[in-house]
Amino acid sequence: MKRRKLFQKERVAEYDYIVSREQPLSFVAEAFQKALVNLEYVNVDGNFKVLQFTSSLAGAGKTTFVSNLSYLIGKKGKRVVLVDLDLRKPKINRIFKAPNENGVTDYLAGKIEYKDLVKYSEKLNTYYVVAGERTTAVVNILEAQKLKDLVQRLREEFDYVILDSPPVIAVSDALYIARLADGVIFVVAQNEARKAVINEAISTLKQNNVNIIGTVFTQVDIKENELYSYTYGYGYGYNSNKEETPEEGE
């Protein structure tokens, strides 16, 4: 328990630390690289351009994963934009050490132009869009035609559009965001959610006809293998019609 709390504290404090950039030869960076390769195999026909990342509960490591994935995609010469659609608890701005202003909500409210919305980080070779001003009308925003038009414009201008979204169980936002995405990648953190909760989240997505194209397994403790004490792992696979869900503690 102490180790998990310590890791959570470190993760919150180091959103701007992209391990794939800072330690490209590390085991962790290699895990992210392999996840990208698997994603490319899944997307060999280029059908999944707008990708949403969600989880069952908070703390699964979505933001850390998408930041490393976006960096690696950009490093390969692809144009990628990372969009913060977690309008209730935005974090993408922390990756780039940028203020959470002039973002999605500001653009949809007509306060800023498109040219002021999409920002670029030369350090991470990644475009990004922050959430913007907080609002209580989150569902209205996620259902807005103007948001659909924005995602469509990003789809036309970028090779990949990565949507960071809230967890499934906490709020319904992820289901609305899924309507904007070509596919959803479900993030599961070891020991962070119980099997019943993960099953409920996946069932909710399936009941709403969400296209789950893969899963990512994060925060894997591989100490028992005597390789590293604590790191990110990954798992990735196609969606199938079988009722397969991750095993608790797998």
Side-chain angles (χ1 to χ4, degrees):
M1 180 63 74
K2 289 182 178 179
R3 180 180 59 197
R4 186 167 63 186
K5 288 184 176 180
L6 175 61
F7 185 77
Q8 288 176 332
K9 182 177 180 180
E10 289 175 348
R11 194 170 66 233
V12 168
E14 298 180 359
Y15 279 119
D16 60 315
Y17 186 85
I18 310 300
V19 66
S20 297
R21 178 180 185 275
E22 304 299 336
Q23 301 180 49
L25 301 180
S26 66
F27 180 85
V28 182
E30 181 64 20
F32 285 120
Q33 287 276 11
K34 290 179 179 177
L36 175 57
V37 169
N38 283 322
L39 174 61
E40 291 175 331
Y41 276 118
V42 171
N43 198 25
V44 68
D45 289 327
N47 296 325
F48 305 113
K49 199 166 188 179
V50 181
L51 299 173
Q52 175 192 359
F53 285 76
T54 189
S55 60
S56 55
L57 299 173
K62 293 189 301 294
T63 304
T64 299
F65 188 86
V66 297
S67 62
N68 280 273
L69 184 68
S70 299
Y71 168 73
L72 292 174
I73 292 174
K75 190 178 179 183
K76 297 188 73 170
K78 301 288 186 180
R79 283 172 57 84
V80 56
V81 59
L82 182 54
V83 183
D84 197 345
L85 286 184
D86 191 341
L87 304 180
R88 302 175 194 269
K89 295 183 178 180
K91 298 184 182 71
I92 296 300
N93 59 298
R94 301 180 188 178
I95 297 171
F96 303 96
K97 287 189 173 181
N100 184 37
E101 57 187 27
N102 295 335
V104 174
T105 56
D106 304 290
Y107 173 76
L108 298 184
K111 296 179 181 178
I112 61 171
E113 301 292 330
Y114 180 80
K115 62 181 177 60
D116 300 316
L117 173 67
V118 182
K119 304 169 181 66
Y120 177 69
S121 169
E122 186 173 352
K123 175 183 177 182
L124 300 182
N125 193 26
T126 301
Y127 292 86
Y128 65 98
V129 176
V130 301
E133 185 178 27
R134 300 289 185 94
T135 174
T136 57
V138 172
V139 173
N140 299 68
I141 289 176
L142 296 178
E143 286 190 307
Q145 180 61 44
K146 195 171 181 179
L147 178 60
K148 298 176 183 175
D149 295 341
L150 171 61
V151 173
Q152 179 60 32
R153 182 168 181 174
L154 295 172
R155 177 195 295 274
E156 294 170 358
E157 296 184 7
F158 291 90
D159 297 309
Y160 280 101
V161 181
I162 306 295
L163 308 178
D164 191 21
S165 70
V168 176
I169 299 298
V171 290
S172 60
D173 300 8
L175 302 179
Y176 291 104
I177 296 171
R179 299 173 183 174
L180 305 170
D182 300 324
V184 172
I185 296 173
F186 191 78
V187 180
V188 179
Q190 185 181 39
N191 299 326
E192 288 295 326
R194 302 186 65 80
K195 180 179 178 180
V197 176
I198 295 171
N199 284 343
E200 180 181 350
I202 293 178
S203 295
T204 300
L205 292 172
K206 288 184 175 180
Q207 289 168 5
N208 286 272
N209 299 316
V210 172
N211 184 23
I212 306 173
I213 62 172
T215 58
V216 172
F217 202 35
T218 64
Q219 301 174 30
V220 177
D221 185 351
I222 56 174
K223 187 177 181 179
E224 293 181 357
N225 294 331
E226 298 181 352
L227 292 175
Y228 295 88
S229 60
Y230 205 93
T231 185
Y232 263 74
Y234 74 94
Y236 206 93
Y238 280 105
N239 181 31
S240 72
N241 294 326
K242 297 179 180 179
E243 296 297 327
E244 294 180 349
T245 54
E247 296 291 335
E248 184 179 13
E250 184 179 345

